[in-house]
Amino acid sequence: MRAFIILALLAVLVMVATCYESHESMESHEYLNPFLNRRRANDFIQAERRLEAISQERIRERNKAPQERQREMCENYYPCEAYAFRHGYAAAYRHYFGKRRTK
């Protein structure tokens, strides 16, 4: 019985310690207004990183995987795209474009 009382008190202490409501979260400025104005919105990403991200995206656009090129080709041709919805893009590409090579 004594062990039960000690465990119950220990459980209450753990509950009080973990469920304590701190007011720090309510003091932040995000709590008052979750939206940023236009000037502050661009502060998250520095200009150098933005330019680097744009150049990386351009490189990725140039170096596409063959499957991605085939899928884009199939998406641009409506019968191929309709066939792809039923059988998949690889089968649709083979059906409409065969073994034709792409650059």
Side-chain angles (χ1 to χ4, degrees):
M1 187 69 175
R2 186 174 179 195
F4 177 73
I5 294 173
I6 293 173
L7 286 174
L9 287 174
L10 185 62
V12 169
L13 287 174
V14 168
M15 185 180 69
V16 169
T18 57
C19 296
Y20 173 70
E21 176 69 30
S22 91
H23 296 286
E24 292 174 1
S25 63
M26 295 181 189
E27 293 173 357
S28 67
H29 64 87
E30 287 92 2
Y31 181 76
L32 299 174
N33 186 7
F35 301 104
L36 297 174
N37 64 19
R38 291 181 182 177
R39 284 187 220 135
R40 292 224 27 234
N42 289 331
D43 291 343
F44 290 107
I45 301 174
Q46 287 80 21
E48 301 108 27
R49 287 191 181 173
R50 245 184 277 139
L51 291 175
E52 183 180 328
I54 290 170
S55 66
Q56 290 294 324
E57 182 64 28
R58 302 269 185 216
I59 290 170
R60 279 192 294 269
E61 286 177 2
R62 274 189 269 143
N63 301 330
K64 290 183 181 176
Q67 293 86 3
E68 189 175 354
R69 283 195 216 120
Q70 291 173 359
R71 183 179 177 131
E72 286 178 356
M73 237 172 123
C74 192
E75 285 175 347
N76 291 335
Y77 186 54
Y78 180 75
C80 182
E81 186 177 21
Y83 190 88
F85 284 131
R86 290 182 174 239
H87 305 286
Y89 279 98
Y93 182 82
R94 282 192 306 271
H95 180 75
Y96 283 97
F97 299 105
K99 298 276 185 182
R100 187 167 59 170
R101 295 183 142 238
T102 59
K103 290 184 179 181

